[in-house]
Amino acid sequence: MNRGGGAEQPNDEGSDRMKKTCVVTGGAGFLGSHLCDRLLREGFAVICIDNLLTGSVRNIEHLAGNGAFTFIKQNVADYLYIAGDVHYIFHFASPASPIDYLEYPIPTLKVGALGTHKTLGLAKSKGATFILASTSEVYGDPLVHPQPETYWGNVNPIGPRGVYDEAKRFAEAMTMAYHRYHRLDTKIVRIFNTYGPRMRIRDGRVVPAFIWQALRGDPLTVFGDGSQTRSFCYVSDLIEGIFRLAMSHLNDPVNIGNPREMTVNDFAREILRLTGSPGPIVYRELPVDDPKVRQPDIGKARQLLGWEPRVPLEDGLRETIAYFRTVLEEEQASGRRGSGGGGR
Ligand code: UDP
């Protein structure tokens, strides 16, 4: 356990939280690491658990030496033991991009099912509040648009994306069962497409894929005819919504995402404009069961959490592009040193 000196100092408002501890599974991932940062700033102690299947120590290395931060390398689908009090458990561990869950279908099912069971068991034994990172994928290829929390979804259970979608649907069912049967305080956040620094450049999702291609001067690969839509939320907005939900008295699922919807074609053009890349855009086969539309109905978050996204797409993309430029420069430098660029 790391109990050394602290770099991230809690703000004044959070000083009364100093004794409270949060567990963040998947804390070395894209969203998990931003969540760890936020919780530390709020004055919580944070125990990050990650098996580094798709997470990276790079995302948490700035927290080394912070006395309020502890990292445990473990698969949360296995038995979990944490000493001492725990007040909040954020279950964020999972492969989260379509190519990841194609590459790791069984770990994806296990972390969503067994990992949710283990983390709920931990929450029950500690009397902790449990926050499940769920997903817009529970709506599948939606027949209702935009998607409110009351929509039950249109998911193909046996398609290649089914391993993620059904694991998260099971995780929601398990979470509600613990809430109803064990009276555990639980929250479910349905996360829509989110982007920002610390996404993996090769995770295959559209934001890193297009930015990486544009920065390298490669063609942008639009899948299908590019008329499918997504709505992109900047990571700081998402974390704010999750934090508000965690501190709330709500127990039903809440959508958190940005309702500004655009086609993948328009998104590709925006990346070309912001990077100054000439393109071109090339078209590739649409992956199986790729949802045709996606836009969160955030009425519930607006009304009950007083939350809505604030960061305009252009601002968020500029931050993200700057991050990927740094990663590209590092890769090129390490390539020049002959150690190869690779890695996720
Ligand atoms: N997409 C694309 N080119 C890429 C990667 C993704 O056109 O190189 C498309 C993908 O088919 C989907 C959308 O972009 O329609 C968003 O894909 P992503 O993998 O980011 O996540 P999803 O929203 O499908 O879970």
Side-chain angles (χ1 to χ4, degrees):
M1 289 257 181
N2 168 12
R3 300 288 182 204
E8 288 253 343
Q9 293 303 319
N11 61 27
D12 289 344
E13 196 182 316
S15 55
D16 61 331
R17 297 195 182 117
M18 276 308 287
K19 285 183 243 28
K20 296 209 168 166
T21 297
C22 301
V23 167
V24 180
T25 78
F30 163 50
L31 296 181
S33 65
H34 284 284
L35 185 59
C36 289
D37 287 347
R38 173 66 187 263
L39 294 170
L40 288 165
R41 276 204 303 277
E42 295 289 340
F44 292 98
V46 174
I47 300 171
C48 159
I49 308 178
D50 202 305
N51 67 349
L52 303 179
L53 181 67
T54 59
S56 167
V57 285
R58 181 198 165 110
N59 293 336
I60 50 169
E61 65 191 2
H62 60 287
L63 300 175
N66 184 328
F69 182 74
T70 304
F71 173 61
I72 300 172
K73 184 172 181 297
Q74 196 192 318
N75 186 344
V76 294
D78 299 333
Y79 182 76
L80 281 179
Y81 173 76
I82 304 282
D85 290 343
V86 175
H87 302 85
Y88 294 90
I89 297 178
F90 294 83
H91 183 35
F92 275 58
S94 178
S97 86
I99 63 166
D100 284 344
Y101 35 85
L102 292 184
E103 190 174 356
Y104 306 115
I106 294 167
T108 301
L109 281 159
K110 286 173 79 175
V111 75
L114 308 181
T116 302
H117 184 221
K118 293 286 181 290
T119 46
L120 278 164
L122 182 66
K124 179 168 152 263
S125 75
K126 302 287 185 183
T129 296
F130 180 85
I131 301 97
L132 174 70
S134 186
T135 167
S136 55
E137 290 281 327
V138 299
Y139 302 123
D141 191 2
L143 305 176
V144 171
H145 191 67
Q147 294 80 55
E149 291 85 349
T150 47
Y151 178 49
W152 292 352
N154 177 39
V155 171
N156 174 4
I158 57 165
R161 297 174 87 108
V163 296
Y164 184 66
D165 302 6
E166 294 296 3
K168 290 293 188 182
R169 289 169 68 96
F170 174 89
E172 287 200 6
M174 181 71 105
T175 301
M176 290 310 291
Y178 268 67
H179 172 63
R180 294 195 182 106
Y181 188 74
H182 291 306
R183 305 197 178 285
L184 199 67
D185 182 24
T186 61
K187 287 103 186 32
I188 296 173
V189 52
R190 291 187 179 150
I191 298 170
F192 283 66
N193 294 66
T194 303
Y195 69 98
R198 301 186 195 159
M199 295 188 94
R200 286 190 353 258
I201 53 172
R202 294 181 184 81
D203 85 353
R205 281 184 280 194
V206 70
V207 176
F210 284 0
I211 295 177
W212 193 242
Q213 290 161 348
L215 291 180
R216 291 166 54 95
D218 294 337
L220 269 58
T221 54
V222 168
F223 298 161
D225 65 5
S227 64
Q228 71 272 32
T229 67
R230 294 293 185 275
S231 313
F232 299 100
C233 186
Y234 190 61
V235 63
S236 60
D237 280 334
L238 185 96
I239 297 294
E240 176 65 29
I242 291 170
F243 185 75
R244 287 188 190 205
L245 176 63
M247 298 300 129
S248 77
H249 296 294
L250 301 182
N251 297 119
D252 291 334
V254 179
N255 291 338
I256 300 287
N258 192 316
R260 180 181 166 192
E261 182 184 10
M262 64 200 301
T263 66
V264 169
N265 273 328
D266 284 343
F267 186 67
R269 285 191 278 270
E270 183 70 354
I271 296 294
L272 293 180
R273 185 178 76 80
L274 293 174
T275 55
S277 166
I281 293 173
V282 295
Y283 290 85
R284 298 280 179 264
E285 201 178 333
L286 190 67
V288 176
D289 294 334
D290 196 284
K292 286 180 268 310
V293 290
R294 183 178 293 153
Q295 186 198 13
D297 178 333
I298 60 165
K300 192 168 174 181
R302 272 199 180 105
Q303 193 191 341
L304 299 178
L305 301 176
W307 175 87
E308 61 182 1
R310 304 210 171 278
V311 180
L313 184 68
E314 178 166 340
D315 295 0
L317 283 178
R318 285 194 191 282
E319 291 288 326
T320 311
I321 290 166
Y323 170 79
F324 281 116
R325 268 192 219 283
T326 312
V327 176
L328 180 60
E329 282 160 16
E330 283 172 14
E331 284 217 354
Q332 285 168 342
S334 75
R336 278 196 296 275
R337 286 197 301 273
S339 54
R344 288 175 164 272

